[in-house]
Amino acid sequence: MRCVRLCGLLILALTGAAHSAVLPDDRADVFYSTYKGGGMDITGKSILVRKKFAESFSVQANYFIDTVSGASIDVLSNASVIKDERKQKSVSLDYIRGKTSYNVSYANSKETDYISDTMHLALSQDMFGDLTTVTLGYTRGWDKVSQRSGTAITPKGQADRRSYDAGLSQVITKNLLGSLTVEVITDEGFLNNPYRFTRYVDPTDGRGWNQQPEVYPGTRTSTAVTARARYYLKYRAAASVSYRYFTDTWGIRGNTFELGYTHPISNRWIFEGRVRLYKQGPANFYSDLFPRRDAQNFIGRDKDLAGSKNTTIGAKVTYAFLPEGWKFFKRGTVTLDLSRIQFKYDDFRNIKDYGIADGFAPGAEPLYKFNANVLQIYASMFF
Amino acid sequence: MKPRMLKLSLLAALMLSASACSSIKPWVKPYERDRLADPIMSWDRDAISGAYLDHIYESREGSRGATGTAGGGCGCN
């Protein structure tokens, strides 16, 4: 079972909902990635093709497949190791008329225990001498959630998703760009992860605690606001900064801060570095250890709902080849991107590796933390 | 913020913007935008990569949305 809201976000990204009224370049991409950390090993592969036609239209198709082996600590605590595959297909159509661009997209994602369909509509308008671009978007998603146990698949429920986003991109000076994005997302239905359990104090159990399935509210509405700026430095380089504030009806508050630096060398190389800091407070129905079974109406122990912080350091290098073009290709690039992410949890304890037998009473086990390494390699051909 | 409130706010902002159209002149001329057009000034040059990284975060954090990009593989078992 994967996390929710995959397709809508991907098509938002792949359609470039915030671009101004210029169609994106024709291109073909081949992508490969690995994620290792927290007991999980994920390999991703993707291809993307985008092509203009009839002067005002551009169509894009993307196929993404990722393979997961292992499982995060929430699942490992229940001794079930996952091996699964997710396949996602998306198509997108852009149309430009004057200073307005329109986009409609569809995506479908399938895995053994999760099926998701998403539609996305967006409208983008240039104004004030093309210094300002306003974007409005609407996303609608339908998810079917199941639980896998061995070869048996048990339907658990459905989730309906709606997202409203608005963006303002602004040319501030001849060296500075700014943007502001607001997105409101509302979900309704089965929002649990069926593989997660809560734990509660149980002196009759040898561990001193016992487990019961999580119970989440049937609705969730969140609001996120992101402000970004990008500045062109004197010696042809760029510096960027962004901040996002997040809040939702489950009581989670999140703050994300990111700095980036881009430095080209000749027309062949682009080097980039980034630092990202994230911190969140817990959901109001989260607890690492409840005092008893059915302690309250809603109960959760998914570590994603816990108070936590993480830090990312990333580096990326892009090499441009075929600067003079070849056949019908105008140019090509190949990119290597490495990230290291350090996750730390404020109130999520490591009950997989520590317990009473190791001298740790329930609720006194060491806090969980882990590191993840993300590798991306991809080639892009522009034509 | 509720979706309806958001829509009303956006509509009001758009109307205000439209009414001010005639009095605002572009302060950065088209011929002064060569630096902004440089690929290094792009918010997100590579869609798949940006979506993939944002999705990694979204599937491991409580926050979501307003990233401009997101998605990709998850694997939050």
PDB file of all heavy atoms in Angstrom, chain A residues 296-309:
ATOM      1  N   GLN A 296      -9.229   6.572  22.728  1.00  0.00           N
ATOM      2  CA  GLN A 296      -9.971   7.719  22.214  1.00  0.00           C
ATOM      3  C   GLN A 296     -10.588   7.347  20.871  1.00  0.00           C
ATOM      4  O   GLN A 296     -10.302   6.274  20.331  1.00  0.00           O
ATOM      5  CB  GLN A 296      -9.049   8.943  22.092  1.00  0.00           C
ATOM      6  CG  GLN A 296      -7.783   8.692  21.280  1.00  0.00           C
ATOM      7  CD  GLN A 296      -6.748   9.771  21.474  1.00  0.00           C
ATOM      8  OE1 GLN A 296      -6.393  10.117  22.603  1.00  0.00           O
ATOM      9  NE2 GLN A 296      -6.258  10.312  20.366  1.00  0.00           N
ATOM     10  N   ASN A 297     -11.447   8.239  20.346  1.00  0.00           N
ATOM     11  CA  ASN A 297     -12.162   7.917  19.096  1.00  0.00           C
ATOM     12  C   ASN A 297     -11.202   7.659  17.941  1.00  0.00           C
ATOM     13  O   ASN A 297     -11.351   6.697  17.205  1.00  0.00           O
ATOM     14  CB  ASN A 297     -13.092   9.069  18.710  1.00  0.00           C
ATOM     15  CG  ASN A 297     -14.283   9.157  19.617  1.00  0.00           C
ATOM     16  OD1 ASN A 297     -14.550   8.230  20.378  1.00  0.00           O
ATOM     17  ND2 ASN A 297     -14.994  10.272  19.559  1.00  0.00           N
ATOM     18  N   PHE A 298     -10.244   8.576  17.769  1.00  0.00           N
ATOM     19  CA  PHE A 298      -9.295   8.445  16.673  1.00  0.00           C
ATOM     20  C   PHE A 298      -7.914   8.179  17.259  1.00  0.00           C
ATOM     21  O   PHE A 298      -7.484   8.879  18.192  1.00  0.00           O
ATOM     22  CB  PHE A 298      -9.268   9.713  15.823  1.00  0.00           C
ATOM     23  CG  PHE A 298     -10.608  10.033  15.218  1.00  0.00           C
ATOM     24  CD1 PHE A 298     -11.255  11.221  15.524  1.00  0.00           C
ATOM     25  CD2 PHE A 298     -11.235   9.135  14.367  1.00  0.00           C
ATOM     26  CE1 PHE A 298     -12.491  11.518  14.974  1.00  0.00           C
ATOM     27  CE2 PHE A 298     -12.474   9.413  13.811  1.00  0.00           C
ATOM     28  CZ  PHE A 298     -13.106  10.601  14.130  1.00  0.00           C
ATOM     29  N   ILE A 299      -7.255   7.181  16.705  1.00  0.00           N
ATOM     30  CA  ILE A 299      -5.943   6.800  17.222  1.00  0.00           C
ATOM     31  C   ILE A 299      -5.005   6.551  16.043  1.00  0.00           C
ATOM     32  O   ILE A 299      -5.389   5.968  15.030  1.00  0.00           O
ATOM     33  CB  ILE A 299      -6.019   5.533  18.108  1.00  0.00           C
ATOM     34  CG1 ILE A 299      -6.799   4.424  17.402  1.00  0.00           C
ATOM     35  CG2 ILE A 299      -6.662   5.860  19.455  1.00  0.00           C
ATOM     36  CD1 ILE A 299      -6.815   3.107  18.175  1.00  0.00           C
ATOM     37  N   GLY A 300      -3.785   7.028  16.178  1.00  0.00           N
ATOM     38  CA  GLY A 300      -2.816   6.843  15.103  1.00  0.00           C
ATOM     39  C   GLY A 300      -1.408   6.723  15.656  1.00  0.00           C
ATOM     40  O   GLY A 300      -1.063   7.356  16.659  1.00  0.00           O
ATOM     41  N   ARG A 301      -0.596   5.876  15.009  1.00  0.00           N
ATOM     42  CA  ARG A 301       0.818   5.790  15.366  1.00  0.00           C
ATOM     43  C   ARG A 301       1.685   5.716  14.110  1.00  0.00           C
ATOM     44  O   ARG A 301       2.811   5.242  14.144  1.00  0.00           O
ATOM     45  CB  ARG A 301       1.073   4.578  16.271  1.00  0.00           C
ATOM     46  CG  ARG A 301       2.470   4.600  16.914  1.00  0.00           C
ATOM     47  CD  ARG A 301       2.779   3.356  17.708  1.00  0.00           C
ATOM     48  NE  ARG A 301       4.170   3.331  18.119  1.00  0.00           N
ATOM     49  CZ  ARG A 301       5.147   2.741  17.439  1.00  0.00           C
ATOM     50  NH1 ARG A 301       4.874   2.095  16.311  1.00  0.00           N
ATOM     51  NH2 ARG A 301       6.391   2.775  17.870  1.00  0.00           N
ATOM     52  N   ASP A 302       1.155   6.134  12.988  1.00  0.00           N
ATOM     53  CA  ASP A 302       1.959   6.239  11.776  1.00  0.00           C
ATOM     54  C   ASP A 302       3.034   7.295  12.036  1.00  0.00           C
ATOM     55  O   ASP A 302       2.718   8.411  12.456  1.00  0.00           O
ATOM     56  CB  ASP A 302       1.045   6.669  10.620  1.00  0.00           C
ATOM     57  CG  ASP A 302       1.745   6.589   9.276  1.00  0.00           C
ATOM     58  OD1 ASP A 302       2.951   6.899   9.231  1.00  0.00           O
ATOM     59  OD2 ASP A 302       1.093   6.225   8.300  1.00  0.00           O
ATOM     60  N   LYS A 303       4.271   6.955  11.754  1.00  0.00           N
ATOM     61  CA  LYS A 303       5.343   7.908  12.076  1.00  0.00           C
ATOM     62  C   LYS A 303       5.236   9.193  11.257  1.00  0.00           C
ATOM     63  O   LYS A 303       5.766  10.227  11.654  1.00  0.00           O
ATOM     64  CB  LYS A 303       6.720   7.275  11.898  1.00  0.00           C
ATOM     65  CG  LYS A 303       7.122   6.932  10.485  1.00  0.00           C
ATOM     66  CD  LYS A 303       8.487   6.284  10.486  1.00  0.00           C
ATOM     67  CE  LYS A 303       9.025   6.060   9.083  1.00  0.00           C
ATOM     68  NZ  LYS A 303       8.092   5.353   8.175  1.00  0.00           N
ATOM     69  N   ASP A 304       4.522   9.139  10.117  1.00  0.00           N
ATOM     70  CA  ASP A 304       4.340  10.361   9.329  1.00  0.00           C
ATOM     71  C   ASP A 304       3.475  11.378  10.065  1.00  0.00           C
ATOM     72  O   ASP A 304       3.456  12.560   9.711  1.00  0.00           O
ATOM     73  CB  ASP A 304       3.682  10.042   7.986  1.00  0.00           C
ATOM     74  CG  ASP A 304       4.514   9.069   7.167  1.00  0.00           C
ATOM     75  OD1 ASP A 304       5.691   8.863   7.522  1.00  0.00           O
ATOM     76  OD2 ASP A 304       3.983   8.510   6.195  1.00  0.00           O
ATOM     77  N   LEU A 305       2.730  10.918  11.081  1.00  0.00           N
ATOM     78  CA  LEU A 305       1.875  11.822  11.858  1.00  0.00           C
ATOM     79  C   LEU A 305       2.570  12.322  13.123  1.00  0.00           C
ATOM     80  O   LEU A 305       2.023  13.150  13.849  1.00  0.00           O
ATOM     81  CB  LEU A 305       0.578  11.111  12.255  1.00  0.00           C
ATOM     82  CG  LEU A 305      -0.278  10.521  11.133  1.00  0.00           C
ATOM     83  CD1 LEU A 305      -1.522   9.866  11.709  1.00  0.00           C
ATOM     84  CD2 LEU A 305      -0.660  11.596  10.131  1.00  0.00           C
ATOM     85  N   ALA A 306       3.732  11.792  13.420  1.00  0.00           N
ATOM     86  CA  ALA A 306       4.453  12.166  14.637  1.00  0.00           C
ATOM     87  C   ALA A 306       5.184  13.501  14.449  1.00  0.00           C
ATOM     88  O   ALA A 306       5.449  13.920  13.318  1.00  0.00           O
ATOM     89  CB  ALA A 306       5.470  11.080  14.987  1.00  0.00           C
ATOM     90  N   GLY A 307       5.511  14.147  15.535  1.00  0.00           N
ATOM     91  CA  GLY A 307       6.401  15.298  15.458  1.00  0.00           C
ATOM     92  C   GLY A 307       7.745  14.820  14.926  1.00  0.00           C
ATOM     93  O   GLY A 307       8.253  13.789  15.364  1.00  0.00           O
ATOM     94  N   SER A 308       8.312  15.539  13.981  1.00  0.00           N
ATOM     95  CA  SER A 308       9.568  15.074  13.383  1.00  0.00           C
ATOM     96  C   SER A 308      10.297  16.227  12.726  1.00  0.00           C
ATOM     97  O   SER A 308       9.754  17.324  12.541  1.00  0.00           O
ATOM     98  CB  SER A 308       9.290  13.985  12.329  1.00  0.00           C
ATOM     99  OG  SER A 308       8.598  14.537  11.227  1.00  0.00           O
ATOM    100  N   LYS A 309      11.534  15.944  12.366  1.00  0.00           N
ATOM    101  CA  LYS A 309      12.295  16.894  11.565  1.00  0.00           C
ATOM    102  C   LYS A 309      13.194  16.109  10.620  1.00  0.00           C
ATOM    103  O   LYS A 309      13.586  14.959  10.925  1.00  0.00           O
ATOM    104  CB  LYS A 309      13.096  17.859  12.445  1.00  0.00           C
ATOM    105  CG  LYS A 309      13.997  17.211  13.461  1.00  0.00           C
ATOM    106  CD  LYS A 309      14.762  18.251  14.270  1.00  0.00           C
ATOM    107  CE  LYS A 309      14.056  18.716  15.511  1.00  0.00           C
ATOM    108  NZ  LYS A 309      13.890  17.722  16.582  1.00  0.00           N
TER     109      LYS A 309
END
